[in-house]
Amino acid sequence: MAHRLVAGKLKAGEVAVDATAGNGHDTLLLAGIVGGEGLVFAFDVQACALAATGKRLMEQGLDKVVSFCQRGHENLAEVVPECHHGRVSTVMFNLGYLPGGDKSRITREETTLSAVGQALAMLKAGGLCTVVCYPGHPGGAQEAGAVSRFIEALDPDGYRVERHEGENRLNDPPFLLAIEKLSSG
Ligand code: SAH
């Protein structure tokens, strides 16, 4: 669903951010759309995640489109050069742990909230931020709840927020928060 929304919004030549690169599926989507004229910043705190992402992108000849940042996404505003602030078209978050990796290296409430706030500030008018939340793992429900409350409280004149969730899934299924920054925001 996040991929569908991003594909409907992001255009060639634009600037995008993958705030949780992981195995690189989201980075690949973003880089494939923005192409050689665009730019993607891919963040992850784990070297193995960025290596997996780099390999995936290289296989598709898209690694040159990506700036790989081994920093926490809570440093977003510091790492992404100021010339892009207010011009970013799409930011994607996929929270939780790296599939097939170290389950203790999860995203955390405090840094996630800081990063989402910075991401929204960095979006251009009409830009999109997607956040996939996973309430199922230890600590995940707390983080997902905090992110939901933060996003629900956004000024409706500045942001349009949608929540997407499977209706027939059991056991704390993941849900997607999609935030569009409105022109007046
Ligand atoms: N989008 C990925 C899955 C992401 S899993 C995919 O498509 O495969 C979540 C990732 O967030 C993990 O790789 C983890 O290392 C990373 N992470 C955890 N804390 C982080 C932080 N503070 N900043 C950036 N990435 C972080």
Side-chain angles (χ1 to χ4, degrees):
M1 186 66 202
H3 280 209
R4 281 216 295 275
L5 293 178
V6 168
K9 172 68 73 177
L10 187 62
K11 299 201 167 44
E14 291 190 321
V15 179
V17 175
D18 185 351
T20 49
N23 289 317
H25 299 286
D26 295 341
T27 310
L28 179 62
L29 172 81
L30 297 169
I33 296 174
V34 303
E37 303 290 306
L39 179 58
V40 178
F41 294 91
F43 284 80
D44 206 293
V45 287
Q46 298 192 70
C48 63
L50 288 175
T53 299
K55 181 166 177 283
R56 191 179 296 280
L57 274 284
M58 209 176 294
E59 281 163 8
Q60 303 298 324
L62 286 166
D63 51 304
K64 299 272 184 298
V65 177
V66 179
S67 174
F68 297 92
C69 315
Q70 196 185 341
R71 297 282 304 276
H73 44 219
E74 61 277 17
N75 304 296
L76 200 66
E78 183 197 322
V79 174
V80 173
E82 243 177 86
C83 58
H84 301 302
H85 293 195
R87 298 210 166 86
V88 173
S89 174
T90 299
V91 182
M92 298 184 80
F93 287 82
N94 194 354
L95 303 179
Y97 54 80
L98 179 65
D102 180 353
K103 291 194 178 172
S104 68
R105 302 293 300 272
I106 54 173
T107 55
R108 294 181 190 281
E109 174 180 339
E110 199 185 303
T111 41
T112 300
L113 289 179
S114 168
V116 171
Q118 293 176 51
L120 296 180
M122 201 167 282
L123 285 181
K124 66 176 189 176
L128 173 72
C129 177
T130 61
V131 187
V132 181
C133 298
Y134 296 84
H137 64 270
Q142 187 193 338
E143 180 187 39
V147 174
S148 299
R149 285 192 296 280
F150 174 75
I151 288 172
E152 278 164 18
L154 289 172
D155 177 2
D157 290 334
Y159 300 92
R160 176 161 48 230
V161 180
E162 287 177 3
R163 182 181 164 120
H164 301 266
E165 187 166 15
E167 282 282 52
N168 61 344
R169 302 246 334 245
L170 300 174
N171 301 330
D172 303 321
F175 59 89
L176 164 67
L177 298 167
I179 309 132
E180 187 188 351
K181 189 169 187 173
L182 303 175
S183 38
S184 57

